[in-house]
Amino acid sequence: MPLDTSTYSLALLRLDGRRWNELRRIHAQISTQAAADGSSYLEMGNTKVICTVTGPAEGRRTAQGAGQECRVEVEISIAGFSGVERKRRGRADKRTQEMQHTLTTAFTSTIFTHLYPHSTITLTLHVLSQDGSLLAACLNAATLALIDAGIPMSDYLCACTAGSTANEDADEPLLDLNGLEEQELPFLTAGVLGDNDKVAVLMLETRVRVERVEGMLAVAVDGCKRVRGILDAVVRAHGRRIVEEGV
Amino acid sequence: MTSLKRSYAADPSAQNLSSKVYVRSTKSGKVQKIVRELYLRQDIPCSSRLCSRCVENAPTDYHNKVSPFVLSETPAGTKSFPQGHYLVPDTNALLTAMDLFEVETAFRDVIVLQTVLEEVKNRSLPLYHRLISLTKNEDKRFYVFFNDFRQETYVVRDAGETINDRNDRAVRKAVQWYSQHLQAAVKARRSGRTPAVVMISDDRENLRKAEAEGISALSLSNYVSELENANQLLDMVSERREQRDNRGGKVELLYPEYYSISKMMTGVKAGTMHQGIFNVSQYNYLEGSVHVPAFERSLLILGRENSNRAVSGDVVVVEVLPKDQWKAPSSKVIEEEEFNKDDNPDVEEGEAVVTDRERRALQEEVKRVQGKGVEGRPQPTARVVGVVKRNWRQYVGHIDKDSVRTSNRESRAQQTVFLIPMDKRIPKIRVRTRQAGELLGKRVLVTIDSWDRESRYPVGHFVRSLGELESKGAETEALLLEYDVQYRPFPKTVLDCLPAEGHDWKVPASLEDPGWRGRRDLRDLLVCSIDPPGCVDIDDALHARQLPNGNFEVGVHIADVSHFVKPNNAMDKEASMRGTTVYLVDKRIDMLPMLLGTDLCSLKPYVERYAFSVLWEITPDAEVVNSNFTKSVIRSREAFSYEQAQIRIDDASQKDDLTKGMRTLLMLSKKLRQKRMDAGALNLASPEVRIQTESETSDPVDVQTKRLLDTNSLVEEFMLLANISVAGKNYSAFPQTALLRRHAAPPRTNFEELQNQLKVKRGMELRTDSSKALAESLDTCVDPQEPFFNTLIRIMATRCMMSAEYFCSGTQAYPEFRHYGLASEIYTHFTSPIRRYADLEAHRQLAAAIDYEPLDPSLRSRSKLEAVCKNINVRHRNAQMAGRASVEYYVGQALKGRVVEEEGFVMRVFSNGFVVFVPRFGIEGLIRLRDLGTPEPEGEFDAENYVLRVRGSREVNVELFEKVKVRISDVAEESTGKRKIRLELL
């Protein structure tokens, strides 16, 4: 039994040795699948996600008729081996559907959908490994893949989580929770558009005292901006390589 | 084509990143592999005040605060380390000698490594919590160093290395790093001496390796022997296994082995075994019982072999024995002291679990039981097959003087002695000590370390000495320790929460002050308080006045403690831990600091005080028309004692409004009481006496039974009414989390014995189908010749009841809320917030229910409230028992050296003795056959008729409920070291 989050106050160190305001290691690559229109691979700590983008392609005819804007479809599949326990999740899994819905609405408002009438953009995400901040990782991976596919959107949509220590007298926000912390602490996921404070996604599913939310949100927004810096560097490095190597 | 490569190599921060992979198995038996990241860093401070480098890059929290550095610049030293030292204990050192580390005089400046902390947590949660609280104690200067997160001290487990070896290596590495780091720090300061960093370990291999690596390391005993009071400290080290193991190869195993956890769990699930709490009978140390849900009556556990090393209070798993071994509960008094006087604590070989005399005593039992017919009603018996959770605590007792080899005070030789606990249900504890001579005749605190199969008695170690036997200080402290009462003075952090004005605090004069927000000004009401004489913590005050419509307005005003004690501050935490104020005969151990309890909160007369008021409109027939709750400010006109109030009410010449109000209250209270009685409230009795003490020395002079006046019940009735009203309000506002109090209906079986006794002896019937039936049938149990008989029956009936308990409303269904004794549907405690924590919580909930202030989240969470309830239930019970024990002690002291003859009643009959209750002193005592005459007369016990016929040197028949004359004298009881009263039959 290793220590749990209650020891945070002893030395201001979290379970994995981070401070309250530190992100986990983020590693990202884009254009990982040549066959896809756009693709990315993203690691936030031990959470690993692959994302591919298909489209914009001619959409299926739906009952509502083809709109003037393109549709965004999101498919998430969570590998059975991704968690601690081997578990198969079917398509109808409620949590997966909810995440799909969140991503769909988030990107429908971020992508310039009016440029592609009568068409569909499909985002396919594969979760290879889970260790907390899953929704945030999916959002980040999707952003990268969309950029790789060259689909115009208003800005980077970057996300991360923030939690709060359970300590009553001195509750402190924590940035970017890992799986173990997520189990023990209340946390929210925030997605921020660009380098300003525009919150595009906000998800809070645990019970938390209302006084704490402000601090958590501030820390999360700050974290999103840092994530944006990292993703931007990845994109720029990739662009430079294309220019230099002409790949 | 791009390929996905391992991403670590490209990452510049990868060198700081490590991962921890471990395997764990879940409850259901699945094996999980857990992978965790580990971010290694360089900004974890050493926390030594000598170091300036670490201060510079010390981490800050969200509020930009740096935690202060802990370890002293000039730590204490010993002979080997004159320059001072920091200690780094290894896991085994902490596990064996936590008591030692908690000593106030030594063991300061200790570095607890993360590796060690984790290991301690794995091995023992209670020890872990004690260690954590040590790190919070500023005087002790304990610092937790997260060595596994610091780059320089992180150790990767080598292939084939055991986890223990890896951890030992990590400890050594950290010690090494610390000493180098400190040297550098001191060099940078260019001054002073470098404290040594000393590893304390009891692992020989670890010590050897440390020596090879040039790390200063000592074994615990070597280190302690250099300290000042080494002998005393050495006794506090737990008795370790290996010490006994190497004492000759073959040891006889006296007790059966425990089943494995998984075997017990499957057994419990399948219903072949049962889990419950092991309780030992007060009268017979060889008889234990375990109440399990599967059986209506408790399972009996007879004899040492069956109780298999379980100590009273442990959670055990038992297996029911075959039916032919079922027995009736013992009707014999068996005390350990009589049987095993001659055990030698040193000799372990040739010990049998059951001595011959014990066996004979048990044998007689069996014969007797089997000889009887249906009447004996054999009860299922069981044997303990495993212990789920030990509930060992620290025990107070005294050293058995017969077990001491040399009582020479100068002798420093270690010897093994027996400690006889004050609590008769706890077996003797074998303790190794170097100070036996000194400890003789003292009250001593010890803990149990282990109880192995080859040892007849548990093994423990000395914690500290409380003082001479029978000295007031030692006995009071012993009592407090025995009932786990927190009696230390309030720490500074708690006192810091008090209002800065101290005794000069006043209700603000201006009505604009925030303190007045939401408060009603009730200063013009004629409020008074009625309490026992000499009461200083006045919780409640009352008033009544006639309304124009003929009804009455009645107000109960309770001290507004929640105004001063805010949730979750240090004072609140201390109060929630203490749970209740404990009243001893000569001493009060407060729940809240004196300033609040006896001054600022106390509703003293003639001054303005904050209060929480319950106001009712009541008809002259005592029907409540409506009730109203509000925070208020009152000014009590007078503080009466019960007697004074009674005199004032009875005095017809007094015609002022205050007295009229009191008369109204009395009139209403009588009607309320009648209504309660009609609803089936019980009028129970418990022996209550008051000890008169000499005012200066507080030495007891006399004992009196308490008198009850009308004014007692006046206050009581309105307090009950207030509690009930508040309970209803809180429950409607917080259906899931109201803190309430319930009193469960006792199961029918509890009364069986008493019913039968009454039927056989007096032909009376006790009906127990409802509280009303019980109350009515209790009223009929009257002996015209003996007015006390009814009280005796009530006392005995009270003992058959369940105890009332606090609970959180979400945990029970509404019908279960019922308070059986008060015949109320719902009940809580509201009226004594100065002395009970439950009331304080009820105040907070009520304040939120009337929208005075928002409810603290801790009062909204069911799990937290449940934890609070659990604690205050225990504290409440302990406080009651401590109070009773204190009275018992003082009765003994008051009777010291006197011989009194008094009337008494036989309360219980055993086959070799009987219990007599003496109403005059509220005491009960056992008279054994052997006390009746020498040689011990023969006793013939007629269990059906509850008669003990004594033949031989003394011929007398003793019947249950019989009135007897006894001579009361006092004697220092050998077995517990208590001064006790002794009864002799005349």
Side-chain angles (χ1 to χ4, degrees):
Chain A
M1 195 187 339
L3 303 174
D4 60 19
T5 50
S6 64
T7 54
Y8 175 75
S9 58
L10 284 179
L12 306 177
L13 281 168
R14 291 157 63 177
L15 292 176
D16 52 6
R18 283 181 295 150
R19 300 281 177 207
W20 64 274
N21 57 351
E22 286 177 353
L23 286 170
R24 286 180 286 175
R25 186 187 59 90
I26 294 184
H27 167 82
Q29 281 173 267
I30 55 176
S31 287
T32 48
Q33 268 101 323
D37 293 322
S39 58
S40 69
Y41 170 72
L42 180 103
E43 290 178 9
M44 286 175 88
N46 283 335
T47 301
K48 300 175 183 174
V49 181
I50 287 180
C51 178
T52 56
V53 174
T54 318
E58 191 175 349
R60 287 180 306 229
R61 298 260 155 92
T62 49
Q64 293 103 320
Q68 289 307 299
E69 300 181 342
C70 79
R71 285 161 46 88
V72 178
E73 279 179 2
V74 179
E75 248 176 67
I76 299 179
S77 69
I78 297 179
F81 52 80
S82 63
V84 175
E85 258 174 88
R86 201 178 177 89
K87 201 158 91 186
R88 266 224 82 73
R89 293 220 228 183
R91 258 162 196 280
D93 182 73
K94 279 277 180 318
R95 293 206 60 78
T96 318
Q97 279 185 343
E98 198 181 345
M99 282 208 320
Q100 286 173 352
H101 178 74
T102 312
L103 258 71
T104 309
T105 42
F107 283 107
T108 311
S109 59
T110 313
I111 295 171
F112 292 153
T113 46
H114 59 277
L115 297 178
Y116 308 103
H118 313 296
S119 47
T120 306
I121 297 171
T122 311
L123 290 161
T124 313
L125 290 122
H126 292 275
V127 177
L128 305 181
S129 167
Q130 300 184 63
D131 187 20
S133 305
L134 184 60
L135 177 63
C138 287
L139 282 161
N140 293 335
T143 301
L144 282 181
L146 285 166
I147 291 170
D148 185 38
I151 295 169
M153 44 198 232
S154 49
D155 208 327
Y156 284 77
L157 176 58
C158 299
C160 73
T161 55
S164 176
T165 51
N167 207 339
E168 263 112 23
D169 26 82
D171 49 312
E172 286 194 31
L174 302 175
L175 182 66
D176 192 16
L177 303 196
N178 65 23
L180 211 72
E181 287 172 321
E182 272 188 7
Q183 280 169 17
E184 292 179 20
L185 303 176
F187 72 99
L188 55 77
T189 304
V192 169
L193 205 52
D195 216 359
N196 46 39
D197 291 346
K198 270 192 213 158
V199 175
V201 178
L202 186 59
M203 192 79 130
L204 172 60
E205 290 170 304
T206 35
R207 272 167 67 113
V208 61
R209 280 166 65 184
V210 75
E211 305 93 276
R212 294 188 188 179
V213 175
E214 191 186 337
M216 285 161 67
L217 189 56
V219 168
V221 167
D222 187 58
C224 290
K225 289 178 192 165
R226 300 222 308 262
V227 173
R228 183 183 182 278
I230 294 168
L231 298 191
D232 193 45
V234 170
V235 172
R236 282 176 199 281
H238 182 70
R240 209 174 301 123
R241 233 180 43 231
I242 290 176
V243 173
E244 283 166 7
E245 298 170 17
V247 186
Chain B
M1 183 76 202
T2 27
S3 64
L4 288 175
K5 284 189 206 108
R6 251 180 84 84
S7 50
Y8 293 117
D11 197 320
S13 67
Q15 56 173 359
N16 299 342
L17 194 66
S18 182
S19 66
K20 199 154 135 186
V21 181
Y22 59 92
V23 178
R24 70 165 180 212
S25 61
T26 62
K27 270 185 197 144
S28 55
K30 263 190 193 167
V31 176
Q32 294 179 330
K33 191 169 182 184
I34 313 254
V35 181
R36 274 168 45 175
E37 287 176 298
L38 219 54
Y39 291 86
L40 302 179
R41 41 197 330 131
Q42 293 180 309
D43 64 349
I44 297 175
C46 63
S47 199
S48 165
R49 299 232 175 101
L50 285 165
C51 180
S52 51
R53 205 149 39 110
C54 286
V55 177
E56 280 162 25
N57 57 8
T60 57
D61 66 1
Y62 178 63
H63 308 284
N64 238 337
K65 268 189 291 197
V66 180
S67 26
F69 278 35
V70 179
L71 303 172
S72 153
E73 286 160 308
T74 51
T78 58
K79 266 172 256 159
S80 328
F81 303 100
Q83 74 275 39
H85 55 48
Y86 295 154
L87 296 178
V88 184
D90 191 3
T91 316
N92 50 37
L94 283 172
L95 288 176
T96 51
M98 190 60 84
D99 286 327
L100 208 54
F101 281 89
E102 284 170 343
V103 166
E104 308 251 322
T105 52
F107 290 95
R108 294 213 172 91
D109 299 299
V110 175
I111 299 160
V112 181
L113 299 177
Q114 176 191 13
T115 320
V116 173
L117 191 67
E118 279 180 30
E119 268 191 310
V120 169
K121 191 177 182 191
N122 271 336
R123 300 282 291 276
S124 157
L125 263 182
L127 287 181
Y128 168 77
H129 289 303
R130 279 164 71 183
L131 187 56
I132 289 288
S133 65
L134 267 179
T135 65
K136 293 192 175 134
N137 184 340
E138 282 170 27
D139 289 339
K140 291 292 282 179
R141 301 194 294 270
F142 272 52
Y143 172 64
V144 181
F145 179 67
F146 280 73
N147 60 320
D148 278 347
F149 289 148
R150 175 129 194 162
Q151 185 131 40
E152 295 94 328
T153 53
Y154 175 66
V155 167
V156 188
R157 183 173 165 190
D158 294 332
E161 193 176 30
T162 66
I163 190 78
N164 276 333
D165 286 345
R166 183 256 163 209
N167 287 344
D168 287 347
R169 195 151 60 87
V171 173
R172 292 197 301 273
K173 180 124 182 183
V175 173
Q176 202 170 23
W177 176 82
Y178 246 103
S179 44
Q180 284 163 2
H181 180 83
L182 285 177
Q183 262 159 22
V186 170
K187 208 179 267 172
R189 278 165 64 106
R190 266 179 264 150
S191 67
R193 29 181 215 176
T194 323
V197 181
V198 184
M199 181 173 90
I200 305 282
S201 173
D202 272 355
D203 185 339
R204 240 171 260 146
E205 188 60 16
N206 198 6
L207 287 172
R208 192 186 60 73
K209 281 183 185 160
E211 204 183 342
E213 290 166 28
I215 298 167
S216 35
L218 282 177
S219 74
L220 194 60
S221 50
N222 283 349
Y223 173 73
V224 174
S225 57
E226 286 188 7
L227 294 174
E228 267 169 42
N229 41 358
N231 282 314
Q232 200 188 345
L233 293 178
L234 273 177
D235 280 354
M236 297 172 68
V237 178
S238 281
E239 184 74 2
R240 261 158 305 134
R241 240 188 136 69
E242 61 257 55
Q243 273 191 359
R244 275 173 289 128
D245 279 346
N246 55 25
R247 199 200 288 178
K250 269 185 285 168
V251 257
E252 200 187 346
L253 298 174
L254 298 173
Y255 291 103
E257 197 176 2
Y258 288 147
Y259 288 176
S260 70
I261 292 285
S262 56
K263 186 171 177 186
M264 288 194 289
M265 286 305 133
T266 35
V268 170
K269 247 183 213 167
T272 55
M273 295 177 209
H274 307 278
Q275 185 176 330
I277 295 173
F278 181 69
N279 276 316
V280 175
S281 155
Q282 281 283 2
Y283 294 110
N284 179 350
Y285 77 103
L286 290 175
E287 178 186 301
S289 64
V290 174
H291 186 79
V292 298
F295 287 83
E296 202 179 330
R297 314 173 108 229
S298 299
L299 295 173
L300 278 184
I301 293 169
L302 298 174
R304 256 179 221 285
E305 210 155 345
N306 285 336
S307 63
N308 194 2
R309 293 171 283 154
V311 177
S312 195
D314 289 347
V315 180
V316 296
V317 171
V318 296
E319 200 173 50
V320 179
L321 292 170
K323 201 156 188 174
D324 55 320
Q325 294 182 30
W326 289 13
K327 286 162 198 169
S330 150
S331 61
K332 192 165 184 178
V333 183
I334 304 180
E335 277 169 5
E336 185 169 17
E337 201 40 34
E338 295 170 40
F339 284 93
N340 300 314
K341 264 194 188 138
D342 313 328
D343 281 351
N344 187 343
D346 267 332
V347 184
E348 296 235 354
E349 303 91 37
E351 249 183 8
V353 197
V354 186
T355 55
D356 273 349
R357 297 191 60 189
E358 279 179 8
R359 187 169 289 132
R360 231 174 298 141
L362 278 173
Q363 211 67 48
E364 278 169 33
E365 280 296 290
V366 179
K367 261 188 250 154
R368 201 184 49 73
V369 168
Q370 285 171 342
K372 254 187 314 181
V374 198
E375 266 300 288
R377 277 170 300 169
Q379 216 163 309
T381 55
R383 67 188 184 96
V384 173
V385 296
V387 175
V388 178
K389 187 169 169 261
R390 291 288 192 188
N391 264 332
W392 291 345
R393 54 185 173 93
Q394 298 187 323
Y395 299 98
V396 182
H398 70 282
I399 305 278
D400 181 1
K401 66 175 183 299
D402 299 336
S403 69
V404 177
R405 225 179 320 134
T406 46
S407 55
N408 185 353
R409 267 167 192 269
E410 272 71 56
S411 156
R412 284 285 171 255
Q414 196 172 38
Q415 50 178 324
T416 309
V417 295
F418 276 132
L419 179 118
I420 304 176
M422 251 166 66
D423 190 341
K424 278 189 199 164
R425 295 168 302 171
I426 309 295
K428 290 197 254 191
I429 301 166
R430 187 179 269 139
V431 177
R432 281 172 79 78
T433 176
R434 283 187 177 76
Q435 32 177 355
E438 236 158 76
L439 293 178
L440 268 181
K442 296 239 170 92
R443 277 266 169 250
V444 182
L445 188 66
V446 299
T447 55
I448 301 186
D449 296 323
S450 63
W451 194 347
D452 293 326
R453 291 176 61 200
E454 69 271 11
S455 154
R456 187 134 86 99
Y457 296 105
V459 178
H461 70 266
F462 164 84
V463 178
R464 72 193 160 91
S465 154
L466 307 178
E468 295 288 331
L469 277 175
E470 279 197 68
S471 66
K472 208 189 298 168
E475 294 299 331
T476 307
E477 196 178 354
L479 209 134
L480 295 173
L481 281 167
E482 196 66 0
Y483 295 105
D484 197 17
V485 175
Q486 308 284 326
Y487 61 94
R488 310 228 159 212
F490 288 100
K492 191 175 167 297
T493 47
V494 170
L495 299 177
D496 285 345
C497 303
L498 293 170
E501 299 91 336
H503 288 284
D504 298 329
W505 180 91
K506 281 193 182 65
V507 172
S510 143
L511 295 187
E512 306 301 309
D513 192 274
W516 273 88
R517 192 189 56 82
R519 268 181 206 280
R520 262 173 73 179
D521 185 355
L522 302 178
R523 285 177 292 182
D524 49 346
L525 289 178
L526 294 175
V527 174
C528 67
S529 59
I530 307 174
D531 287 284
C535 179
V536 280
D537 44 354
I538 304 174
D539 283 303
D540 47 84
L542 298 143
H543 88 274
R545 62 176 179 189
Q546 188 137 29
L547 294 172
N549 64 0
N551 288 346
F552 295 100
E553 180 196 75
V554 177
V556 165
H557 312 274
I558 307 297
D560 189 8
V561 179
S562 61
H563 175 81
F564 296 97
V565 186
K566 297 293 179 212
N568 287 325
N569 67 16
M571 185 153 63
D572 179 58
K573 283 194 178 139
E574 183 74 24
S576 95
M577 204 173 67
R578 295 187 178 214
T580 171
T581 294
V582 181
Y583 293 89
L584 303 184
V585 172
D586 59 330
K587 205 173 178 176
R588 192 183 69 226
I589 291 101
D590 287 312
M591 180 181 87
L592 293 169
M594 281 277 272
L595 175 66
L596 288 186
T598 61
D599 191 2
L600 304 193
C601 291
S602 176
L603 301 176
K604 297 196 296 186
Y606 329 124
V607 286
E608 292 174 7
R609 286 284 176 253
Y610 283 154
F612 208 146
S613 301
V614 183
L615 303 167
W616 299 279
E617 187 181 337
I618 297 183
T619 65
D621 292 331
E623 293 292 337
V624 175
V625 180
N626 62 48
S627 42
N628 206 338
F629 309 92
T630 178
K631 291 249 182 174
S632 62
V633 176
I634 61 157
R635 191 164 68 85
S636 170
R637 296 298 190 273
E638 197 63 65
F640 294 109
S641 70
Y642 290 121
E643 256 175 325
Q644 287 169 333
Q646 190 69 47
I647 291 167
R648 180 125 178 197
I649 291 172
D650 294 343
D651 183 357
S653 66
Q654 299 272 4
K655 292 222 160 59
D656 56 310
D657 285 345
L658 183 61
T659 317
K660 275 189 202 156
M662 282 159 65
R663 289 194 188 120
T664 311
L665 288 171
L666 187 63
M667 178 272 289
L668 289 172
S669 75
K670 284 184 176 157
K671 288 182 181 164
L672 283 170
R673 185 175 171 79
Q674 192 51 48
K675 275 191 192 162
R676 221 158 46 76
M677 291 301 158
D678 292 346
L682 294 175
N683 185 7
L684 297 170
S686 57
E688 278 197 81
V689 290
R690 232 184 66 205
I691 310 249
Q692 278 201 337
T693 53
E694 221 167 274
S695 52
E696 274 181 19
T697 53
S698 74
D699 284 333
V701 241
D702 200 7
V703 187
Q704 288 182 328
T705 37
K706 279 186 186 167
R707 274 176 62 208
L708 284 180
L709 299 167
D710 275 351
T711 40
N712 287 60
S713 77
L714 181 160
V715 176
E716 192 191 341
E717 283 312 316
F718 284 104
M719 294 307 132
L720 292 178
L721 187 61
N723 285 337
I724 292 168
S725 304
V726 169
K729 177 79 181 171
N730 279 354
Y731 177 63
S732 65
F734 308 105
Q736 284 296 306
T737 57
L739 193 152
L740 302 175
R741 188 169 173 82
R742 66 192 274 264
H743 184 204
R748 191 167 298 231
T749 49
N750 281 16
F751 286 107
E752 271 174 10
E753 181 83 19
L754 183 61
Q755 269 173 329
N756 195 42
Q757 287 171 351
L758 278 170
K759 201 164 93 193
V760 172
K761 300 307 298 181
R762 294 287 153 113
M764 291 168 181
E765 196 198 359
L766 194 66
R767 283 179 300 121
T768 57
D769 21 322
S770 73
S771 61
K772 194 170 164 63
L774 181 63
E776 279 164 6
S777 56
L778 272 176
D779 288 339
T780 62
C781 293
V782 193
D783 185 340
Q785 273 104 55
E786 192 43 72
F788 186 76
F789 177 72
N790 187 261
T791 316
L792 181 71
I793 299 302
R794 284 183 198 274
I795 290 172
M796 290 172 77
T798 309
R799 295 190 181 168
C800 302
M801 303 271 175
M802 311 286 284
S803 50
E805 57 173 12
Y806 298 105
F807 70 105
C808 167
S809 60
T811 56
Q812 302 277 353
Y814 189 78
E816 299 294 315
F817 288 10
R818 213 180 146 67
H819 197 291
Y820 180 80
L822 297 173
S824 167
E825 261 180 37
I826 190 165
Y827 191 69
T828 189
H829 269 164
F830 173 76
T831 52
S832 304
I834 297 178
R835 56 188 179 88
R836 285 189 306 228
Y837 191 71
D839 302 55
L840 183 54
E841 296 278 65
H843 272 234
R844 290 177 181 150
Q845 290 187 333
L846 184 65
I850 60 169
D851 291 327
Y852 174 79
E853 62 189 0
L855 190 60
D856 187 78
S858 65
L859 277 158
R860 213 177 278 162
S861 136
R862 213 162 96 178
S863 57
K864 281 199 186 128
L865 267 178
E866 271 173 61
V868 167
C869 288
K870 205 170 147 196
N871 181 42
I872 53 183
N873 280 329
V874 173
R875 297 288 172 193
H876 188 84
R877 204 171 318 129
N878 283 352
Q880 281 182 328
M881 291 198 285
R884 258 180 243 150
S886 166
V887 169
E888 191 185 328
Y889 169 70
Y890 271 91
V891 170
Q893 291 291 315
L895 293 171
K896 198 168 178 176
R898 295 200 311 187
V899 180
V900 195
E901 286 178 17
E902 269 297 335
E903 283 178 356
F905 293 87
V906 178
M907 235 184 166
R908 207 169 162 182
V909 182
F910 294 103
S911 60
N912 63 344
F914 51 96
V915 177
V916 175
F917 179 76
V918 183
R920 164 84 168 78
F921 298 118
I923 48 175
E924 56 184 282
L926 179 72
I927 300 180
R928 279 168 290 208
L929 278 183
R930 65 185 164 96
D931 303 334
L932 290 176
T934 36
E936 187 174 327
E938 287 283 307
E940 188 194 326
F941 179 47
D942 182 353
E944 271 102 306
N945 292 313
Y946 303 100
V947 179
L948 180 65
R949 293 190 191 89
V950 186
R951 300 285 171 264
S953 57
R954 174 98 185 246
E955 304 226 344
V956 68
N957 281 359
V958 180
E959 270 187 72
L960 189 69
F961 301 137
E962 191 188 48
K963 183 149 119 182
V964 289
K965 269 242 171 223
V966 286
R967 178 185 297 138
I968 305 166
S969 57
D970 69 308
V971 63
E973 200 181 39
E974 175 93 359
S975 60
T976 57
K978 282 185 201 163
R979 178 156 297 274
K980 274 231 160 149
I981 42 115
R982 191 172 70 185
L983 302 180
E984 279 171 281
L985 190 68
L986 287 177

